[in-house]
Amino acid sequence: MSNRILAHTGARYPIVQAPMGWIARSQLASAVCNAGGLGIIETSSGETANCQAEILRMKDLTSAPFGVNLPILFLKDEAMLRFICESGVKFVTTSAGSPAKFLAPLKAAGIIVYHAVPTVDAARKSVEAGVDGLVVEGAEGGGFKNPEEVSTLVLLQAIRRITDVPLIAAGGIADGKGMAAAFALGAEAVQMGTRFVSAAESPVHANYKQAILDARETGTFVLNKRASPCIRALKTARTPAIHEAGLMPPDTFARILDLYFGGDMEAAVGLAGQSAGLIDEVKPVAQIIEETIAEFHAITGRLGALSATKSF
């Protein structure tokens, strides 16, 4: 198999669903897997028992392989790490910290490990630590971000210059055009978050999906640049003051479940990427993946024809 990420994941298509906290659980992840992509179960919510139950439930909802994300700095202890090593899961992404201390037990369990990186330095250190691949997270993406914003367009090229490990491109990708661009820059797969949050099978409230559909390309803020974690979130009535201050109040996420699942868009800040400006319809996961793959092949086929005839 020429595509190394398909070989590593066992997925039919090189499309990965991002591990959004509370959202990326079995309902959404199994739909992605059943449509040929790679669903990822989140653990960043910190709900260890619930996330473990979701991992077990995946085996009842899909026969396809799936992955789990381990956000190193957000894990209370090593209970989730131990569970993953004993669960039979074969693909893990790590994030939010150095993967070094997790690599030995994960590799001993026969697990492929990709680490999410926002900079070239982080990529270099991760490769030196021994990861199998990287998730290259550009600043366009939603969720936790590097305050020194580097676009996916630049970051992919810069990281490909210093390493030949497989790269999953993340940030600003919602369709086959973005996928084709990422592959041209050295990626072998793409990760989509906001696109899947707005999917029919996503468990979030219709109000949150509608807010994504209504957002323009300028419809997000990068918040909390003066502290940690820095995040990209939808613009709402609540977010301009946070953006201006450069700091999030301590209770910013206290009612995040009321936003995600209750539909109160002012209860917290809703994480989303700039690709929200490219999304204007709620679609089933299978349709999203099928259309992305078809558009990807149409574009790469056209570019291949240009190359064959030395045309532009």
Side-chain angles (χ1 to χ4, degrees):
M1 190 178 292
S2 59
N3 185 298
R4 293 176 290 176
I5 293 173
L6 292 182
H8 278 162
T9 63
R12 187 160 77 250
Y13 301 126
I15 296 176
V16 180
Q17 160 246 306
M20 298 84 65
W22 289 279
I23 299 169
R25 295 194 174 178
S26 59
Q27 178 176 321
L28 178 58
S30 64
V32 172
C33 291
N34 289 332
L38 187 78
I40 303 283
I41 297 293
E42 64 87 18
T43 64
S44 59
S45 60
E47 297 179 349
T48 302
N50 287 341
C51 292
Q52 290 174 349
E54 290 293 306
I55 291 166
L56 294 175
R57 188 162 185 260
M58 283 292 287
K59 298 174 183 180
D60 296 326
L61 297 176
T62 183
S63 59
F66 64 94
V68 176
N69 172 252
L70 293 174
I72 296 159
L73 295 181
F74 298 128
L75 298 177
K76 303 170 187 175
D77 51 41
E78 294 190 355
M80 186 60 73
L81 173 64
R82 291 193 298 270
F83 179 86
I84 294 302
C85 290
E86 299 168 358
S87 68
V89 169
K90 296 301 181 185
F91 185 85
V92 162
T93 60
T94 54
S95 56
S98 169
K101 70 174 184 177
F102 278 27
L103 274 173
L106 290 170
K107 300 304 290 180
I111 297 172
I112 297 291
V113 182
Y114 280 44
H115 189 63
V117 295
T119 66
V120 172
D121 284 344
R124 182 180 288 109
K125 291 174 183 177
S126 299
V127 171
E128 290 172 352
V131 298
D132 298 292
L134 300 169
V135 181
V136 178
E137 293 193 328
E140 302 96 320
F144 302 114
K145 297 274 79 104
N146 180 6
E148 296 183 298
E149 301 172 49
V150 183
S151 71
T152 305
L153 177 71
V154 171
L155 192 59
L156 269 175
Q157 295 179 76
I159 289 177
R160 179 50 80 211
R161 286 182 177 184
I162 62 102
T163 182
D164 188 45
V165 301
L167 306 179
I168 299 173
I173 301 167
D175 53 29
K177 298 182 187 71
M179 183 175 176
F183 272 56
L185 300 175
E188 292 178 49
V190 295
Q191 177 174 284
M192 298 194 293
T194 306
R195 174 68 274 193
F196 285 131
V197 171
S198 64
E201 294 89 341
S202 169
V204 303
H205 195 278
N207 290 354
Y208 186 26
K209 295 181 186 182
Q210 190 61 48
I212 291 173
L213 269 55
D214 291 342
R216 300 173 61 184
E217 79 283 358
T218 56
T220 61
F221 275 134
V222 176
L223 304 175
N224 213 40
K225 279 195 169 188
R226 293 172 54 193
S228 181
C230 180
I231 62 167
R232 184 180 292 280
L234 287 170
K235 288 181 178 178
T236 64
R238 183 184 184 123
T239 52
I242 299 174
H243 181 256
E244 181 67 23
L247 293 169
M248 289 190 297
D251 65 346
T252 297
F253 291 106
R255 295 181 55 214
I256 188 65
L257 300 185
D258 290 334
L259 185 152
Y260 284 163
F261 307 115
D264 181 352
M265 293 305 298
E266 300 305 327
V269 297
L271 307 183
Q274 289 180 325
S275 64
L278 303 174
I279 300 167
D280 54 15
E281 184 181 352
V282 171
K283 297 178 179 181
V285 163
Q287 183 180 351
I288 292 170
I289 291 178
E290 288 167 6
E291 290 178 352
T292 298
I293 294 299
E295 187 174 45
F296 169 82
H297 284 305
I299 291 170
T300 55
R302 178 174 60 82
L303 294 176
L306 290 176
S307 177
T309 58
K310 306 296 183 184
S311 303
F312 296 96

